[in-house]
Amino acid sequence: MADKEPQQPEELPIVLVHRLPSYKIPLDPSFRDQLRSQFHMLDPHESPEPYDSFLARHAPFIRVLMTIGHSPISAEFLERLPVLELVVATSAGLNHIDLPACWSRGIVVTNVSLAFAEDVADCAVGLLIDVLRRISAADRFVRGRLWPVKENYPLGFKLGGKRVGIVGLGSIGSEVAKRLLAFGCTIAYTSRNKKQSVSFPFYANVRDLAANSDVLVLCCALTKETYHMINKDVMVALGKDGVIINVGRGSLINEKELVQCLVGGEMGGAGLDVYENEPNVPKELFGLDNVVLSPHCAVMTPESFEALDQLIVVNLKAFFSNKPLVSVVSNE
């Protein structure tokens, strides 16, 4: 029997590629080829036709959109796609997508937090251990040849037994909790809603969580509600020995007030992978040995990106096969 001929692009399921002109389809060439072999990837920026004309001509047939990076999706943009049913985000953060507008239309949104969860959690725990045990500062101490001069290096702090408050107990927060339980920490959390399947203590607001924690680990999405949710009141409630770890988004924290508290000795330390105005980092933090800085790289492993690629394909194939989607963003 002759082999079945490969499907032609016009026969493949249509997926709109939504990206800023400066963005490219990611990506590893083999993954790009995998997408194009299974789906008709419509990219307006690859067409000589004007963008608005291209989108209007194809809009009646576009049920799925894949957004690249943090290309914005507004309510106005969604109105141009009358039959859209699914937005496949290629990021964990979703502050570039108008989620209420999607949900009001019944449009399902998926992200890739499951693909990143383990590696981001590893980074969060690494930052916490580094802050408490002063590992990066100790490295500078040795390299600066201060050991023979000063002899005694300042004491660090034990991780085991710490009360850790997790802000956002989603896929990443849950992985952080799993790791820290193994170190002997106790876990509490705050989230949009109490999770019935979780036995950890729940606090309805972040200030109360901070008042009952030694450490806050920020893993939640950036929204209008979570913008600057970590302010001076929360930092003071955490206490002068308290530590904040942020692997969520920079604007979850009022950065100016964070700097003031750290410089003024009102907090014990911080481990930061994200900032309000990346790639700019407040210069006041550079000289603080109780602060560990990382250049927004918590997800940066080859394993994360391989898992991301596969999760995107799994969701696209599931949608067009009427099978359950993975990593659906909840509107609860």
Side-chain angles (χ1 to χ4, degrees):
M1 179 182 294
D3 291 338
K4 184 178 179 181
E5 292 186 4
Q7 287 180 294
Q8 297 303 309
E10 59 269 25
E11 299 174 329
L12 298 175
I14 294 173
V15 177
L16 176 68
V17 177
H18 177 62
R19 64 181 177 91
L20 297 173
S22 57
Y23 289 5
K24 303 298 180 186
I25 292 188
L27 320 221
D28 169 59
S30 64
F31 175 54
R32 187 169 59 245
D33 292 343
Q34 182 183 6
L35 284 175
R36 288 175 171 166
S37 70
Q38 300 181 66
F39 310 101
H40 185 184
M41 306 300 292
L42 279 179
D43 187 344
H45 295 295
E46 289 185 349
S47 171
E49 184 177 354
Y51 183 93
D52 290 342
S53 170
F54 181 97
L55 193 63
R57 184 164 60 85
H58 290 283
F61 312 102
I62 295 171
R63 299 169 59 208
V64 179
L65 175 156
M66 183 176 81
T67 180
I68 305 299
H70 293 90
S71 305
I73 297 180
S74 64
E76 292 74 20
F77 179 76
L78 291 171
E79 289 176 358
R80 303 174 71 179
L81 300 170
V83 299
L84 187 68
E85 298 176 44
L86 173 66
V87 171
V88 176
T90 59
S91 61
L94 296 166
N95 49 300
H96 57 295
I97 299 175
D98 189 332
L99 292 175
C102 289
W103 292 329
S104 70
R105 283 260 309 270
I107 298 169
V108 178
V109 179
T110 66
N111 70 353
V112 293
S113 59
L114 281 178
F116 293 154
E118 292 186 351
D119 290 334
V120 174
D122 287 349
C123 183
V125 174
L127 287 170
L128 177 55
I129 293 173
D130 197 338
V131 173
L132 293 176
R133 298 305 305 269
R134 307 179 187 271
I135 295 171
S136 291
D139 179 81
R140 293 191 293 272
F141 183 83
V142 173
R143 292 176 189 271
R145 302 183 181 182
L146 298 175
W147 194 6
V149 179
K150 296 189 175 181
E151 295 187 4
N152 295 322
Y153 185 73
L155 294 175
F157 298 90
K158 182 179 180 178
L159 174 57
K162 289 289 185 290
R163 301 171 301 161
V164 178
I166 297 178
V167 181
L169 198 67
S171 54
I172 293 171
S174 297
E175 291 292 337
V176 171
K178 182 168 69 174
R179 284 154 175 72
L180 291 178
L181 284 172
F183 280 98
C185 298
T186 58
I187 305 296
Y189 75 101
T190 187
S191 199
R192 280 180 292 184
N193 298 292
K194 183 174 182 179
K195 299 180 181 294
Q196 299 304 319
S197 60
V198 172
S199 61
F200 303 136
F202 169 76
Y203 290 87
N205 66 76
V206 71
R207 190 188 182 284
D208 289 346
L209 178 67
N212 290 278
S213 300
D214 304 307
V215 177
L216 288 182
V217 181
L218 313 185
C219 307
C220 64
L222 177 62
T223 65
K224 291 178 181 178
E225 293 72 30
T226 62
Y227 176 79
H228 280 190
M229 71 186 304
I230 308 300
N231 55 26
K232 185 170 183 178
D233 286 345
V234 173
M235 298 173 206
V236 170
L238 186 61
K240 69 181 189 64
D241 295 323
V243 172
I244 290 177
I245 304 297
N246 191 4
V247 291
R249 285 289 182 268
S251 293
L252 296 172
I253 301 177
N254 184 320
E255 200 166 76
K256 182 178 179 180
E257 293 181 354
L258 175 69
V259 169
Q260 290 172 349
C261 286
L262 287 167
V263 171
E266 297 178 79
M267 279 181 53
L272 308 173
D273 184 56
V274 288
Y275 311 88
E276 278 208 71
N277 187 29
E278 297 176 1
N280 301 306
V281 177
K283 62 182 185 300
E284 295 90 343
L285 300 180
F286 295 157
L288 300 180
D289 280 344
N290 60 340
V291 177
V292 179
L293 306 173
S294 175
H296 201 155
C297 63
V299 306
M300 299 296 185
T301 70
E303 293 87 354
S304 272
F305 289 114
E306 182 178 350
L308 177 153
D309 293 349
Q310 295 312 308
L311 184 56
I312 291 170
V313 171
V314 163
N315 272 327
L316 290 175
K317 291 174 72 173
F319 176 83
F320 290 114
S321 303
N322 293 315
K323 293 180 180 178
L325 298 168
V326 180
S327 197
V328 174
V329 179
S330 172
N331 62 353
E332 294 181 356

